[in-house]
Amino acid sequence: MYERFWQQMGDITTIVISGWQSMSYFSDVKNLCWFLEPEFAKQIIRLHKIVGNAVTDNYYIVVGTGSTQLFQAALYALSPPNASEPMSVVSAAPFYSSYPSVTDFLKSGLYKWAGDANNFNKDGPYIELVTSPNNPDGSIRQPVVNRSGENLVHDFAYYWPQYTPISSPADHDLMLFTVSKATGHAGMRLGWALVKDKEVAKKMTSFIELNTIGVSKDSQQRAAKILQVISDSYEPVGNPKQSGSFFHFSHSMMEERWKALRSAAKQSGLFSLPEFPSSFCNFLGQAFGSQPAFAWLKCEGGIEDCGNFLKKHKILARNGKHFGASPEYVRVSMLDRDESFNLFTKRLSSLHLSQSKDHEEESP
Amino acid sequence: MYERFWQQMGDITTIVISGWQSMSYFSDVKNLCWFLEPEFAKQIIRLHKIVGNAVTDNYYIVVGTGSTQLFQAALYALSPPNASEPMSVVSAAPFYSSYPSVTDFLKSGLYKWAGDANNFNKDGPYIELVTSPNNPDGSIRQPVVNRSGENLVHDFAYYWPQYTPISSPADHDLMLFTVSKATGHAGMRLGWALVKDKEVAKKMTSFIELNTIGVSKDSQQRAAKILQVISDSYEPVGNPKQSGSFFHFSHSMMEERWKALRSAAKQSGLFSLPEFPSSFCNFLGQAFGSQPAFAWLKCEGGIEDCGNFLKKHKILARNGKHFGASPEYVRVSMLDRDESFNLFTKRLSSLHLSQSKDHEEESP
């Protein structure tokens, strides 16, 4: 979806890398995270200050191959090395469908997926993942377990002004961000963590050292350029170019798409969508309700398996059960290319009660 | 060390990436390894055919964030998901010092480091890592366990003509390569695996999907360009430019450095180095003995801790015990920048028996 914006920007985000550049493993031997490119670090801090979505003073930055790698680095860093049993990892349902599989795929003795945080009642230390705005349902989240032994990981992949009002700079112990959701550059495989505790930041750095001996320098250099161009367009404050700038563009796109989706759902009559209260965004200087990167769509009218029903009508969506929720729900991406998104809303709006009854008769 | 070569090559290896390029997660949805850039895959195959160091026909290519990630992907793919105990992972000592730590850092229930392959005598399936030429000692290796239940991973990071004669194209089940040792671009964090079995290649792809959702596209594009420029200089066969080409340049550099190192060791009289038999290299069309990327240096004259002794004389080297070997040995990199390498040989040549005695007196 953001591709069109970056095409319009032309050459100012283009980077050139010569064959003899950035050959070494090391980026900055004096930094705790020795494979973090200094220019990328600088642009991360600058962008957070401009957008106002996170505090960076007195935080360590750890770069990762996407926030997925940083999530695993966080589990590794927060789990004691010699505990008698693995640390429990929980998140309130509906949760990001990759959390259970990424936590458990190596059958680690350090940590283990323990399901929906709402049902968690084991004593002792645990890790709670707080994704806000949440994937898949876009809700604004707080920790739900709130017991002693708490270790929190805040996944802020979607805490950017195109998706949700920026109410205040987040200042939690361990916060994850990713380039793919911030600017749309998923192919770079880049994320960063803001970490308060030095020892935790060190252990996360060790994880990435053992897992991949650092992170692509080429992508870090390219990301630094992209973040720099975004920040440049918002400085000095009140820069007349800012109305055509990235967050203004992407905010408008998301607004349009959510209008189109709500209208299609209404026209069909078979679906409901979450409602989001309006609140003030300090960055955009206006109030609005969240317009998440995913739609958490519920099939009404007695359709039990929403994913299956949509599939029969050529709409691909991820079944709610992957997110620890009911199959009456599906998650649909709101960030697809225009053609695909338009086709999706067109097909959705044409579905009516009669089709849902056909469906019920077919499935025993 | 290779930086100088790439500087001399000037602009022909330069790449330009626009802000709107390679934004998606996907590189080639029709490929089993869907995050592998097609141009990178093409240049990998082309280079192997030109150098003659590996068979690529009927192999799947899996790209990874360095060969370290691919090594873990291989362990994951070769270990059954529901075994009653973890799969044993072994390698003949001296072995690459990262193998034990990378295998065990997450305390996986799927696989577990089981030490020196020469002492392995457990029944049942196991994974043996065969690094050839070997890190740290440069020896040419074959599997040593040779029992039923064998799963082999061949680490061919150093099977390139600057390090060792290319005797024949390797055609094992699972072979790992890395850009950092082939061309010197460690900062790209890129490696590739050649995999015979489709199911193994699929499981390795799954590992990388779960671990990092793919691999930096920017680095893949840059690597494709670097490999292409190397291959171009060797085609058509007998291209007059080839004498100034990458493998000729790097082979000469390594030859010079090994001469300088052997001369320094001789002058000192305190050190011995492995000897490598001369054999014919089909690619360079000449016979030579291996000139490895690391020197496996042994302290003679009763010095028990070689790493400690060298440290006192301002030479940094990795202690042999990290490689499952005696502390009489150290590993020294042969790929440092000219200044550092020259300083190293100068310091080494000036060490004599009297200093070794001082050392012995100091350490109880």
Side-chain angles (χ1 to χ4, degrees), chain B residues 21-39:
Chain B
Q21 287 178 322
S22 57
M23 293 187 65
S24 161
Y25 287 101
F26 300 96
S27 293
D28 183 0
V29 288
K30 284 178 225 131
N31 194 324
L32 178 147
C33 183
W34 53 266
F35 45 79
L36 170 61
E37 288 283 293
E39 182 62 22

Side-chain angles (χ1 to χ4, degrees), chain B residues 35-328:
Chain B
F35 45 79
L36 170 61
E37 288 283 293
E39 182 62 22
F40 184 43
K42 187 180 137 190
Q43 296 299 339
I44 287 169
I45 293 169
R46 185 177 167 216
L47 189 65
H48 279 308
K49 282 193 196 297
I50 288 174
V51 173
N53 61 341
V55 173
T56 54
D57 291 346
N58 303 314
Y59 276 84
Y60 296 93
I61 301 178
V62 181
V63 62
T65 309
S67 62
T68 299
Q69 188 181 35
L70 289 164
F71 163 64
Q72 292 158 81
L75 300 186
Y76 175 74
L78 296 173
S79 302
N82 296 311
S84 59
E85 53 171 1
M87 177 88 111
S88 296
V89 180
V90 297
S91 189
F95 42 71
Y96 177 31
S97 54
S98 291
Y99 287 153
S101 49
V102 170
T103 304
D104 282 348
F105 79 121
L106 295 176
K107 298 193 171 188
S108 173
L110 301 176
Y111 45 78
K112 193 174 167 38
W113 179 250
D116 186 349
N118 292 306
N119 305 326
F120 182 71
N121 53 15
K122 209 175 150 198
D123 282 329
Y126 65 94
I127 296 171
E128 181 174 348
L129 312 168
V130 182
T131 310
S132 185
N134 190 39
N135 172 0
D137 69 355
S139 61
I140 300 302
R141 290 241 170 140
Q142 306 292 337
V144 305
V145 179
N146 300 314
R147 289 164 60 165
S148 70
E150 172 186 79
N151 291 276
L152 298 179
V153 176
H154 279 81
D155 187 339
F156 281 137
Y158 305 98
Y159 192 42
W160 294 100
Q162 66 267 52
Y163 306 120
T164 198
I166 303 302
S167 52
S168 65
D171 60 355
H172 302 282
D173 286 350
L174 202 168
M175 308 188 278
L176 304 181
F177 292 88
T178 165
V179 169
S180 68
K181 304 308 181 229
T183 74
H185 292 85
M188 286 183 186
R189 309 306 317 119
L190 268 193
W192 66 92
L194 301 179
V195 185
K196 235 180 219 172
D197 184 81
K198 189 174 183 176
E199 291 311 310
V200 172
K202 264 192 193 167
K203 276 194 78 180
M204 289 180 70
T205 300
S206 286
F207 176 95
I208 291 167
E209 210 176 308
L210 287 158
N211 189 205
T212 56
I213 325 185
V215 174
S216 165
K217 282 190 180 183
D218 309 310
S219 288
Q220 289 188 65
Q221 284 173 21
R222 196 170 164 229
K225 184 74 187 177
I226 302 274
L227 299 195
Q228 178 224 310
V229 167
I230 294 176
S231 290
D232 284 352
S233 74
Y234 289 106
E235 276 187 344
V237 178
N239 186 343
K241 281 187 291 180
Q242 76 176 41
S243 64
S245 297
F246 178 72
F247 291 118
H248 284 76
F249 170 91
S250 51
H251 179 270
S252 297
M253 291 265 325
M254 294 305 297
E255 193 177 15
E256 265 175 46
R257 286 189 168 196
W258 271 91
K259 267 188 200 155
L261 175 63
R262 290 197 189 274
S263 149
K266 200 174 168 186
Q267 207 178 319
S268 155
L270 281 181
F271 305 99
S272 64
L273 285 162
E275 297 293 331
F276 301 103
S278 182
S279 70
F280 192 77
C281 175
N282 293 322
F283 175 71
L284 292 176
Q286 63 177 92
F288 65 98
S290 285
Q291 35 194 48
F294 295 106
W296 187 236
L297 196 69
K298 189 182 177 193
C299 276
E300 303 288 352
I303 299 166
E304 280 170 23
D305 189 322
C306 190
N308 222 352
F309 172 66
L310 290 175
K311 199 176 167 188
K312 285 189 182 159
H313 296 96
K314 293 188 183 167
I315 295 173
L316 281 181
R318 205 161 162 72
N319 196 306
K321 63 191 178 195
H322 296 296
F323 305 88
S326 152
E328 291 171 294

Side-chain angles (χ1 to χ4, degrees), chain A residues 144-317:
Chain A
V144 305
V145 179
N146 299 314
R147 289 164 62 165
S148 70
E150 172 186 80
N151 292 277
L152 298 179
V153 175
H154 279 80
D155 186 340
F156 281 137
Y158 306 97
Y159 192 43
W160 293 101
Q162 65 268 51
Y163 307 120
T164 196
I166 303 303
S167 52
S168 66
D171 61 354
H172 301 283
D173 286 349
L174 202 168
M175 308 189 278
L176 304 182
F177 292 88
T178 166
V179 169
S180 68
K181 305 309 179 221
T183 74
H185 292 85
M188 287 183 188
R189 307 309 315 121
L190 268 193
W192 65 92
L194 301 178
V195 186
K196 235 180 219 170
D197 184 79
K198 189 175 182 175
E199 292 310 310
V200 173
K202 264 191 196 170
K203 276 194 77 178
M204 289 180 70
T205 301
S206 287
F207 176 94
I208 291 168
E209 212 176 305
L210 287 159
N211 190 204
T212 55
I213 326 185
V215 175
S216 164
K217 282 191 179 182
D218 310 310
S219 289
Q220 289 188 66
Q221 284 174 19
R222 193 167 167 231
K225 183 76 187 178
I226 302 275
L227 299 193
Q228 178 225 310
V229 167
I230 294 176
S231 289
D232 284 352
S233 74
Y234 289 107
E235 276 187 344
V237 178
N239 185 342
K241 280 187 292 181
Q242 75 175 41
S243 65
S245 298
F246 179 71
F247 291 119
H248 284 76
F249 169 92
S250 51
H251 179 269
S252 297
M253 290 267 320
M254 293 306 297
E255 193 176 17
E256 264 176 46
R257 287 191 168 193
W258 270 92
K259 266 188 199 154
L261 175 63
R262 289 194 190 279
S263 151
K266 199 174 169 186
Q267 208 179 319
S268 155
L270 281 181
F271 306 99
S272 65
L273 285 161
E275 296 294 331
F276 301 103
S278 182
S279 70
F280 193 77
C281 175
N282 293 322
F283 175 72
L284 292 175
Q286 65 177 89
F288 65 95
S290 285
Q291 36 196 47
F294 295 105
W296 187 235
L297 196 71
K298 189 183 178 192
C299 274
E300 305 285 354
I303 299 167
E304 280 170 24
D305 189 324
C306 191
N308 223 350
F309 172 65
L310 289 175
K311 199 175 166 188
K312 285 189 182 159
H313 296 94
K314 294 187 183 167
I315 296 173
L316 280 182

